[in-house]
Amino acid sequence: MVQKIVHDWATGKIYPHFHFVFVFKFRDLNRLHDRTTLNHLIVEQYPYLRDVLDELWKHPETLLLIFDGLDEFRARIHFADSRRDTESQRRCTDPDFLCDVSDIVYSLIQKKLLPGCSVLVTSRPTALHLLAKAQISVWAEILGFVGEERREYFHKFFEDQELAAAVYSHVEENELLLTMCYNPSYCWILALSLEPFFTRTHSNKQRVPKTVTQHFSYYIYNILSHHS
């Protein structure tokens, strides 16, 4: 999802008022154990901006910072901790201020650091409670496919509608696979792994994978075979 947001922004489809979009994965931020600064985080990932950061900070309304995967972040961000309002060393009100990564994220979301900038945080539902007391202006839930939307995906994925119908029929017969198709990513994986078994030249329905393990095995096999 984040990749699509960045791609659509870069191609001018969305958010034209943002001049810069910065993306950070909480999974990567877990590797930082020492205090750091927002400037350092930016330069580490976008070194070509080193000499223009001071100019960027003058117009925070043109900046979008995306933090992806809050549920993977090992540190805790305590939005209900009122002590942060009195401990200046933990508020990170300046991009050059040295502090914990969790405090940088906290201060950006709470508009204490770069007030005026926009912050997007993504998370699985398991960690949403961590943001319950944060200053969030907009909440959005990304829903998966339901009902006929699953069938529509396969018919849009394959140009050959006969092939699409055959692949989806196989998925539909397996309750677990059909349930997994709630997630568009799984639809994509299933379509790729099943396609070779339903083409006219390679039809061999006795070997069609039926379990989740078999599907992922064939998916990885296809990747290694065609991209190694």
Side-chain angles (χ1 to χ4, degrees), residues 3-16 18 21:
Q3 288 181 332
K4 178 170 176 53
I5 289 175
V6 175
H7 177 270
D8 287 351
W9 166 77
T11 55
K13 295 180 181 178
I14 59 173
Y15 306 145
F18 291 130
V21 174

Side-chain angles (χ1 to χ4, degrees), residues 7-149:
H7 177 270
D8 287 351
W9 166 77
T11 55
K13 295 180 181 178
I14 59 173
Y15 306 145
H17 55 291
F18 291 130
H19 296 175
F20 294 91
V21 174
F22 303 108
V23 179
F24 300 96
K25 293 182 180 295
F26 279 108
R27 183 188 312 160
D28 297 332
L29 296 179
N30 285 332
R31 302 171 187 166
L32 302 177
H33 302 294
D34 298 325
R35 289 190 170 191
T36 186
T37 68
L38 178 59
N39 280 352
H40 181 73
L41 290 179
I42 297 290
V43 171
E44 278 289 297
Q45 198 151 321
Y46 307 93
Y48 48 86
L49 295 177
R50 181 187 302 272
D51 297 329
V52 298
L53 284 182
D54 288 340
E55 286 300 314
L56 295 186
W57 303 150
K58 292 179 181 179
H59 305 283
E61 69 281 358
T62 66
L63 308 177
L64 171 62
L65 294 95
I66 301 177
F67 291 91
D68 186 26
L70 176 62
D71 52 289
E72 298 183 69
F73 195 36
R74 294 179 190 145
R76 294 297 299 270
I77 306 175
H78 301 284
F79 290 98
D81 189 352
S82 61
R83 291 176 299 172
R84 293 180 183 271
D85 294 333
T86 58
E87 297 178 9
S88 60
Q89 290 186 342
R90 298 178 63 83
R91 290 194 301 174
C92 299
T93 56
D94 188 285
D96 271 325
F97 203 95
L98 196 65
C99 53
D100 294 333
V101 173
S102 59
D103 291 319
I104 292 177
V105 178
Y106 168 89
S107 298
L108 285 167
I109 293 175
Q110 298 297 87
K111 306 184 186 305
K112 300 176 184 296
L113 174 60
L114 296 183
C117 75
S118 295
V119 180
L120 172 63
V121 179
T122 71
S123 174
R124 291 187 176 91
T126 53
L128 286 180
H129 66 281
L130 300 175
L131 296 172
K133 296 186 178 181
Q135 293 185 20
I136 305 295
S137 57
V138 177
W139 292 83
E141 181 179 4
I142 307 300
L143 299 176
F145 292 146
V146 294
E148 285 298 305
E149 292 175 342

